[in-house]
Amino acid sequence: MAAIEVKDGNPLGAIRELLRSLMSRGVVGALLVPEETPSGKAVVHTLVRDPARLDVANPLAPVFGVNAARIVVKMCARQLARSPAEAAVAQVGAAVAASAGGAQAHDVGGASAPRDDQEKPAPEKQPAAPPTGLVLRPCEIRALVELVKLQQATLDPFLVIGVDCWGTYSVKDYAAKAEKCAQGASVTAEFLKQMAGGSLPADLRSACQACRRPAPTFADIAIQLIGEDVSRKITVRAQTEKGKAALAAAGLEESPENPERAAALEKLAAAKDQAAKEGQFNFLELIETLCINCHNCREVCPICYCRQCAFDGPVFAYTMDKYLTWSGKKGALSMPPDKLLFHLTRMSHVATSCVACGQCEAACPSGIPLGRIYRRISAAAQEALGYEAGRSLEDELPLATFRETELAVVES
Amino acid sequence: MAEEFEPRVVAFLCNWCSYAGADLAGTSRMQYPPNVRIIRLMCSGGLDPMYVYRALLGGCDGVLIGGCHPGDCHYTNGNYKARRRVAVLKAILRELGLDDDRVWLRWISASEGSRFAETIREVVAHLKEKGPSQLARAWAV
Amino acid sequence: MRARASELLAEARGTLVAEKEYPPERDVSGEPPRIGVFVCHCGINIAGVVNVEEVTAFAKSLPGVVHAERGLYTCSQDNQQRIKQTIKDRGLNRIVIASCTPRTHEALFQDTIREAGLNPFLLEFVSIREHCSWVHMGDRKRATRKAEELVSMAVAKARLLRPVRRTSFSVRKDALVVGGGIAGMTAALSLADQGFKVHLVEKEGELGGNLRKLHSTLSGDDPQELLRSAIARVQACDKITVHLRTRVRELAGYVGNYKTIIASTNGDPGETLIEHGAVVVATGAAERETDEYLRGRSERVITQKELEAKLADEAGRTALASAKTVAMIQCVGSREEGRMYCSRVCCANAIKNALAIKALNPETTVVVFYRDVRTYGFREEFYQKAREQGVVFVRYEPDAKPKVVDVGGASVPRGGQSPRPQDGAPLQVEAFDPVLGQKLRLEVDWLALSTGIAPGAENGELAKALKVPLDQDGFFLEAHIKLRPVDFATDGVYLCGLAHSPKFVGEAISQARAAAGRAATLLARDTVQGKGRTAEVRERLCAGCGVCVAACPYDAREIDPAKRIARVVEVLCQGCGACAAACPNAATKQVGFAKEEIMAAVDSLA
């Protein structure tokens, strides 16, 4: 049976059906998926275990409150780190293996984890739990790819289900639109109709207006909408062995490739290029005038993974004396200090992995166009190093590698 | 009569090559303008971009980063890493309209005392012509 | 030479050494910074330009500075005494020296303050001579101002310095030599003579490497005799364990504490674990193969090594003696795009073989096509001799290489008897002679190609296992061409012979001795110390992202598999700071050059 059959012109219903199948057949044990809130005015990432609760799943809603990559990192935190007790057991295991004579050279100063066959046998191996499905937008997936490379997340316990994205509204705008919606209508349906008509709304989030990556760079299963008449058909493709196995286990068939997709993607990209209002901005003035040093941009950014930001750490913990000396030298010191430094430093830290999701701009209480600013600096940084954030798990992080002959232009 | 603008420059030099080159310039009594202040790092690969931003925001009109020639880094490949980091830093400054040509990355070996002196002269001349840095006079830091 | 001396003096090692005693280190952790600044006149070197009195007064005014004084020559004996006394009298716990360059004098002052009971890393040293008085001689006012700012930066940094512990690690006093050619054997013998046990690993079934194929030298020394005596000495030496048909399968550990697994090359199961303190890489190289100039398609086109083998062989000599013309082409596949380096030995080698052919039969015409003749040093005399004996040298340009045509079609059974000379010679070589200004066409019986020396095919694998680099040509890369020519940047690993670069036997032997000497400086010690100014991890802050692990050129960092945060292998850390620069939030600290210290220095300028 085909993975998706759109009935009664209801693409959302078809997607819900697919997700329900995956869950009820045990292909996934849980689903992280955007779900409508009871008020109907918002859509929030929800971790669903009960298939019945998928009735309000809505990955097609054009709204984007949190970059789900951050949520995945939180879910993985314990997966990657063990509790102190577990850590102690693992260490004993490794020590036993190391002292067990013979050619056990691996543990000496080496960087490898203790080999499975050397650890003490774990108590009764449990059957592997089914993966958790992640229903994600392309920029969330790209951020997740970067975070996997930064060892803040792992894809092992997950089945990534990527969904095409034309763009989203801000949380506030979506809520307002939902409020104004007539009975029986929905923001999602309106949006899909507009997309079918080929025109982009002028009030998409500015990050979305300039986005040229509406399709997931990576996914186990891809739900493809662009180039389709979604009221009749949606293409579902398995893009990895894991995805293939998942569809097979659910007794579902992949759709055939859509020959019109490539052209449709290009058309959309062209429309975005036109619509993108890059404009000029005066960075210094914007920060001086509007930035209140709240660090919200950092909080919502999926790439900012530090346990404690440098700016909250010892390097920037000043004594009273320091403040007075500093302001004495300058005559006057804007307070709190390190506003510009924060932004410039954060840019240097995230530029190579920034996926231009624009969450920073959405979170800024002063409305500084950070999304547009970060789009530009990250594009410039990534271009300089020949890298594209989130494109592939195989691409090495650009600052972790180098070529012997390159970037002569940087040398003065 | 307004005083002639004297740019303030900070130079981050790597211990094994460029700092040694600066020493050689001194031993050879090569004269250059007194605008530069040297901070020693063990390797150009140890340069945190934050140092450069802080220097620019803190009143420096220019920053010089000195490292070993590619292939000669005492720590094998620190200068290659520095080069990429500086590339990102300059791309950011450029996109923000903030004079990326105030940050100079130059390879100066331990035997190149004259190259060091010449570099300082060039940097100071360049900055004198360019004038004071916008970032250095920014109200916020 | 020094290695030779070490061999002779091995028994006396350490007997005249007196250990220096230092007073116990004062614990300054509870104290606020009490900085002492010592500004040097350096005679008139500094004081002639910089107003040292003003700088000293300025230093006194800086927060945290409780003592500032100037001295005529701060490094002099009596001034050192003063510093020590002042530390005690004034309870100083951070010292700033403003004088010449830390690159020469830091160690001296670190020792001085250690003698006064301070941790030696509580010292900050700034140059107001090389970087100030000597280079701004025409502007005293600004030079003085600059000196003040430099001192201010040093004080800002000094305020944040912490004592540094240096951990000691024991050293296993055995060595592993990889490669049993003349370089490997020489290194092994030298180390054994210096009293160390050596494991010598050779992938072939016999020792000797490329020396086995060397039959003559220009100097007249007999390489096969050298080979025999070296092998005999190695086999007779009870300190050397030879492992033939063996290769290094895995190597783990760090300087002073390596654990290596060696395995058989011919499929025999079973591995051996060797524990040792140092490694000498002597894996050699090989004559390069080529398919240029009909090599592989005509039996008459041979390499210089094959020519040398013929000259050493009765049948071969007969064949060559009856040849009318022998041609040689130099720089085959070398000094051109893809392989720019010169293999150093081929010119002398070709001339050696040319002279040997002439000795066999002075009537044989020998023509050498060359680009440059590089018979350096005393070998130039043999070049002279060759010309005097009538060897013809024809220069060619790389864009107009000689052309070789097989006209005789003389087919010779491989490995069979030597060919009978033909009336029509089997090969024709065409080349442009710049002296005559005309094209030459030669009919030759044998064409010998100098194809140069190619790096070992397995270098990449071994380099990875040892964590050492290769250069752009594929040979192993030394730590520094002048200052550390037989060391690798990785501590505890040394290099010699062809594995490093093409060279003559005598040069390989010298280099092997040097490598053994260097390895001995490590093995002679009971302990090695960490560098002190190494990297540290502030565990609470670390997110385990691994960018620091990727940044480290010495594999001195790893992610702790249990805690999922970074940790430093202290003995390997060289203190370069690459990890700290990569770390976004200073979870990794480069001791002595911490972010907060550098920022403080930058800020004091502002």
Side-chain angles (χ1 to χ4, degrees):
Chain A
M1 155 187 143
I4 281 217
E5 274 171 27
V6 181
K7 300 187 193 112
D8 305 322
N10 181 3
L12 186 54
I15 289 178
R16 286 175 181 157
E17 195 46 54
L18 165 65
L19 296 176
R20 266 194 289 265
S21 301
L22 290 174
M23 188 175 272
S24 56
R25 298 198 198 197
V27 178
V28 296
L31 272 168
L32 180 73
V33 59
E35 298 233 307
E36 292 183 2
T37 61
S39 69
K41 292 192 232 172
V43 169
V44 168
H45 292 283
T46 313
L47 187 61
V48 179
R49 297 295 302 274
D50 179 357
R53 296 291 289 266
L54 290 170
D55 290 349
V56 292
N58 189 353
L60 299 180
V63 65
F64 180 31
V66 171
N67 189 313
R70 279 177 56 215
I71 298 172
V72 178
V73 166
K74 273 192 151 50
M75 290 175 75
C76 289
R78 282 298 171 187
Q79 205 81 10
L80 295 172
R82 302 188 201 174
S83 71
E86 287 175 277
V89 169
Q91 277 183 324
V92 167
V96 164
S99 64
Q104 303 297 356
H106 299 270
D107 299 304
V108 178
S112 50
R115 293 201 298 216
D116 284 335
D117 54 298
Q118 286 178 352
E119 272 185 327
K120 289 190 160 172
E124 280 312 305
K125 258 209 153 172
Q126 312 285 14
T132 298
L134 302 172
V135 184
L136 301 175
R137 294 179 188 286
C139 58
E140 295 176 318
I141 292 175
R142 284 183 287 124
L144 184 57
V145 165
E146 291 301 296
L147 289 162
V148 169
K149 292 190 230 179
L150 289 163
Q151 304 191 54
Q152 301 303 300
T154 168
L155 294 176
D156 292 346
F158 299 113
L159 183 74
V160 177
I161 301 165
V163 184
D164 283 355
C165 174
W166 286 278
T168 61
Y169 300 115
S170 74
V171 171
K172 247 168 112 177
D173 284 351
Y174 183 87
K177 287 181 199 287
E179 184 113 48
K180 285 210 244 67
C181 246
Q183 269 292 11
S186 81
V187 182
T188 305
E190 294 285 321
F191 184 73
L192 290 173
K193 223 185 341 183
Q194 204 171 355
M195 294 305 107
S199 71
L200 288 169
D203 54 347
L204 287 179
R205 290 166 69 240
S206 71
C208 301
Q209 282 180 28
C211 173
R212 300 183 99 259
R213 297 269 175 270
T217 48
F218 167 85
D220 294 307
I221 295 173
I223 298 180
Q224 296 180 343
L225 311 167
I226 295 170
E228 313 275 327
D229 175 1
V230 300
S231 62
R232 293 216 220 120
K233 168 170 95 64
I234 294 177
T235 300
V236 174
R237 305 282 301 161
Q239 296 191 325
T240 62
E241 288 307 316
K242 208 178 190 180
K244 278 199 175 67
L247 285 181
L252 299 171
E253 250 176 52
E254 243 189 294
S255 326
E257 264 190 60
N258 177 1
E260 296 170 24
R261 182 167 169 77
L265 283 170
E266 263 191 57
K267 196 163 159 230
L268 181 60
K272 292 281 177 91
D273 280 342
Q274 258 192 315
K277 300 190 273 276
E278 297 290 19
Q280 290 303 319
F281 50 80
N282 183 333
F283 174 71
L284 289 184
E285 200 184 283
L286 281 169
I287 303 301
E288 273 178 15
T289 321
L290 296 176
C291 180
I292 59 172
N293 226 355
C294 65
H295 298 167
N296 246 18
C297 45
R298 171 191 80 196
E299 294 304 319
V300 299
C301 175
I303 304 302
C304 271
Y305 62 82
C306 286
R307 264 192 182 168
Q308 181 188 82
C309 178
F311 286 84
D312 295 330
V315 180
F316 295 96
Y318 304 130
T319 59
M320 172 79 89
D321 226 23
K322 161 92 183 178
Y323 282 111
L324 292 170
T325 312
W326 198 353
S327 54
K329 280 213 168 108
K330 290 185 66 113
L333 179 70
S334 68
M335 294 289 262
D338 299 327
K339 267 200 312 202
L340 279 171
L341 185 68
F342 169 79
H343 286 286
L344 290 168
T345 305
R346 196 170 95 82
M347 285 176 191
S348 258
H349 288 171
V350 306
T352 50
S353 285
C354 172
V355 297
C357 69
Q359 286 293 322
C360 43
E361 187 165 332
C364 176
S366 300
I368 300 170
L370 289 170
R372 273 164 278 173
I373 294 172
Y374 270 80
R375 162 177 300 284
R376 284 186 49 173
I377 59 104
S378 64
Q382 289 172 27
E383 198 187 301
L385 302 185
Y387 181 76
E388 196 188 302
R391 177 179 57 192
S392 161
L393 285 158
E394 312 304 323
D395 291 341
E396 270 186 282
L397 291 170
L399 292 176
T401 180
F402 56 84
R403 279 194 292 276
E404 283 186 17
T405 314
E406 61 172 358
L407 298 171
V409 65
V410 170
E411 298 160 16
S412 305
Chain B
M1 179 83 153
E3 249 179 53
E4 198 191 333
F5 163 60
E6 284 295 345
R8 287 175 71 74
V9 182
V10 71
F12 294 96
L13 303 183
C14 75
N15 182 65
W16 303 96
C17 282
S18 42
Y19 191 98
D23 281 352
L24 181 59
T27 316
S28 316
R29 311 297 197 277
M30 297 182 188
Q31 303 298 301
Y32 53 82
N35 304 61
V36 68
R37 309 285 179 262
I38 292 170
I39 292 182
R40 181 170 79 132
L41 297 175
M42 289 314 282
C43 177
S44 55
L47 175 88
D48 188 324
M50 190 166 33
Y51 303 157
V52 178
Y53 294 131
R54 181 70 140 217
L56 291 170
L57 287 165
C60 289
D61 300 290
V63 176
L64 169 68
I65 300 146
C68 306
H69 286 267
D72 292 346
C73 177
H74 181 87
Y75 302 102
T76 316
N77 54 30
N79 48 3
Y80 295 127
K81 294 186 280 245
R83 188 167 57 187
R84 282 210 166 194
R85 228 167 258 137
V86 172
V88 170
L89 188 152
K90 285 175 82 123
I92 290 170
L93 290 174
R94 205 168 33 243
E95 283 304 309
L96 297 175
L98 293 173
D99 287 345
D100 67 323
D101 61 339
R102 290 183 183 273
V103 177
W104 285 42
L105 174 68
R106 200 168 259 203
W107 312 125
I108 299 167
S109 81
S111 60
E112 291 179 310
S114 56
R115 183 165 156 88
F116 177 79
E118 190 49 46
T119 301
I120 302 299
R121 289 184 209 117
E122 274 182 61
V123 170
V124 173
H126 174 85
L127 292 172
K128 266 196 176 155
E129 208 189 298
K130 222 171 150 69
S133 151
Q134 204 190 358
L135 264 180
R137 289 170 300 141
W139 180 83
V141 294
Chain C
M1 176 104 96
R2 210 208 44 196
R4 252 335 250 132
S6 302
E7 291 165 28
L8 296 168
L9 290 171
E11 273 173 27
R13 184 183 301 124
T15 52
L16 292 178
V17 167
E19 285 287 341
K20 185 169 180 183
E21 295 269 336
Y22 291 98
E25 207 175 278
R26 193 174 108 217
D27 177 12
V28 303
S29 51
E31 304 168 20
R34 290 180 61 80
I35 304 170
V37 181
F38 297 87
V39 189
C40 188
H41 285 241
C42 196
I44 55 162
N45 282 305
I46 294 175
V49 176
V50 169
N51 187 325
V52 177
E53 205 180 326
E54 257 183 58
V55 175
T56 313
F58 173 82
K60 193 78 192 285
S61 72
L62 295 169
V65 176
V66 301
H67 178 89
E69 77 173 57
R70 51 203 178 98
L72 193 57
Y73 291 102
T74 311
C75 57
S76 65
Q77 206 41 331
D78 57 302
N79 220 302
Q80 301 277 312
Q81 283 303 113
R82 259 193 76 73
I83 292 176
K84 285 190 277 191
Q85 196 56 49
T86 313
I87 290 173
K88 293 202 184 93
D89 293 344
R90 305 292 318 269
L92 303 177
N93 56 26
R94 304 287 189 287
I95 307 298
V96 172
I97 307 286
S99 62
C100 46
T101 172
R103 298 182 79 254
T104 52
H105 282 69
E106 185 177 51
L108 169 69
F109 287 100
Q110 281 178 328
D111 209 51
T112 304
I113 71 172
R114 197 173 165 204
E115 287 171 12
L118 279 185
N119 180 285
F121 293 94
L122 294 172
L123 177 86
E124 189 63 27
F125 198 118
V126 70
S127 170
I128 57 172
R129 189 182 73 176
E130 280 85 341
H131 297 171
C132 195
S133 67
W134 273 351
V135 292
H136 307 315
M137 300 201 277
D139 193 337
R140 292 185 181 193
K141 192 150 161 266
R142 290 174 73 198
T144 302
R145 181 67 212 141
K146 175 169 169 174
E148 289 174 352
E149 292 187 17
L150 290 172
V151 168
S152 161
M153 277 164 44
V155 166
K157 195 158 170 248
R159 217 176 275 129
L160 299 169
L161 291 174
R162 300 264 176 86
V164 178
R165 302 274 150 260
R166 297 176 73 162
T167 320
S168 282
F169 304 86
S170 64
V171 174
R172 245 182 229 294
K173 288 168 180 296
D174 296 352
L176 175 73
V177 176
V178 187
I182 187 63
M185 289 194 285
T186 303
L189 286 166
S190 179
L191 282 166
D193 283 346
Q194 293 188 63
F196 303 108
K197 273 183 62 196
V198 183
H199 287 269
L200 180 57
V201 170
E202 166 58 48
K203 70 178 183 202
E204 302 289 351
E206 40 180 345
L207 295 169
N210 283 300
L211 186 59
R212 290 205 307 273
K213 298 193 230 141
L214 195 67
H215 299 281
S216 62
T217 59
L218 279 173
S219 56
D221 294 326
D222 180 356
Q224 293 300 308
E225 180 49 47
L226 169 67
L227 176 65
R228 274 189 294 274
S229 80
I231 292 177
R233 278 190 66 209
V234 165
Q235 285 171 342
C237 180
D238 60 355
K239 286 208 164 62
I240 302 178
T241 310
V242 180
H243 305 264
L244 294 174
R245 283 184 212 85
T246 306
R247 62 182 181 86
V248 170
R249 223 202 57 186
E250 226 173 283
L251 187 144
Y254 48 88
V255 56
N257 290 278
Y258 287 108
K259 283 189 169 67
T260 299
I261 301 176
I262 57 175
S264 159
T265 53
N266 60 9
D268 286 346
E271 304 168 332
T272 311
L273 171 69
I274 298 179
E275 292 178 307
H276 55 105
V279 188
V280 178
V281 175
T283 49
E287 184 183 47
R288 207 177 71 87
E289 240 330 324
T290 180
D291 58 3
E292 277 190 270
Y293 306 117
L294 296 189
R295 166 71 177 170
R297 280 167 288 162
S298 165
E299 300 291 332
R300 299 311 188 104
V301 180
I302 57 179
T303 65
Q304 283 286 349
K305 274 263 171 285
E306 288 170 347
L307 177 60
E308 183 155 343
K310 280 195 199 301
L311 286 165
D313 170 62
E314 179 81 42
R317 276 199 295 275
T318 314
L320 284 167
S322 56
K324 273 186 71 190
T325 309
V326 176
M328 300 184 181
I329 303 181
Q330 300 298 98
C331 297
V332 174
S334 292
R335 304 176 65 208
E336 55 188 39
E337 201 65 52
R339 190 181 297 270
M340 284 307 289
Y341 65 91
C342 159
S343 288
R344 193 182 180 102
V345 303
C346 326
C347 285
N349 206 36
I351 283 171
K352 174 186 85 181
N353 290 340
L355 287 168
I357 294 172
K358 281 293 198 184
L360 270 184
N361 181 0
E363 302 301 312
T364 306
T365 304
V366 182
V367 182
V368 179
F369 294 93
Y370 73 98
R371 283 179 52 189
D372 296 285
V373 177
R374 294 182 167 171
T375 44
Y376 56 94
F378 292 108
R379 294 173 181 88
E380 185 75 7
E381 292 175 353
F382 295 96
Y383 176 35
Q384 177 99 338
K385 192 167 161 202
R387 278 197 180 262
E388 284 166 0
Q389 290 195 9
V391 175
V392 179
F393 288 86
V394 179
R395 192 151 193 271
Y396 76 88
E397 294 288 328
D399 56 2
K401 290 185 187 176
K403 290 201 194 5
V404 180
V405 177
D406 184 349
V407 289
S411 65
V412 179
R414 261 208 182 269
Q417 327 111 303
S418 23
R420 284 165 289 115
Q422 309 255 307
D423 289 337
L427 289 177
Q428 236 173 47
V429 179
E430 249 182 48
F432 179 77
D433 185 329
V435 173
L436 296 174
Q438 287 177 352
K439 244 215 204 125
L440 290 180
R441 188 184 296 136
L442 282 175
E443 293 179 349
V444 312
D445 296 289
W446 297 98
L447 174 61
L449 303 177
S450 285
T451 51
I453 297 178
E458 289 155 4
N459 282 2
E461 231 181 274
L462 185 61
K464 260 212 195 84
L466 289 170
K467 294 167 196 126
V468 294
L470 299 177
D471 67 15
Q472 68 206 23
D473 299 313
F475 290 93
F476 287 97
L477 180 65
E478 73 270 26
H480 192 286
I481 187 175
K482 279 198 192 142
L483 303 181
R484 296 177 67 199
V486 292
D487 290 16
F488 278 105
T490 310
D491 286 337
V493 191
Y494 307 92
L495 174 61
C496 60
L498 287 181
H500 168 260
S501 66
K503 53 178 60 78
F504 290 100
V505 173
E507 292 167 342
I509 291 173
S510 294
Q511 201 182 30
R513 285 225 159 89
R518 288 292 298 156
T521 60
L522 166 65
L523 298 175
R525 299 157 63 163
D526 294 322
T527 57
V528 280
Q529 278 195 314
K531 284 261 182 317
R533 287 190 183 134
T534 50
E536 265 175 20
V537 177
R538 292 187 258 227
E539 299 198 348
R540 213 177 33 87
L541 297 177
C542 178
C545 71
V547 295
C548 61
V549 176
C552 180
Y554 298 98
D555 272 335
R557 298 190 67 102
E558 53 198 17
I559 298 290
D560 181 325
K563 295 198 252 179
R564 296 309 301 202
I565 57 176
R567 76 171 168 219
V568 181
V569 182
E570 196 195 320
V571 72
L572 289 181
C573 176
Q574 303 293 311
C576 70
C579 56
C583 178
N585 69 339
T588 275
K589 174 178 162 167
Q590 183 191 5
V591 171
F593 295 88
K595 284 203 227 271
E596 48 264 42
E597 292 164 18
I598 306 292
M599 291 290 263
V602 172
D603 285 347
S604 82
L605 275 186

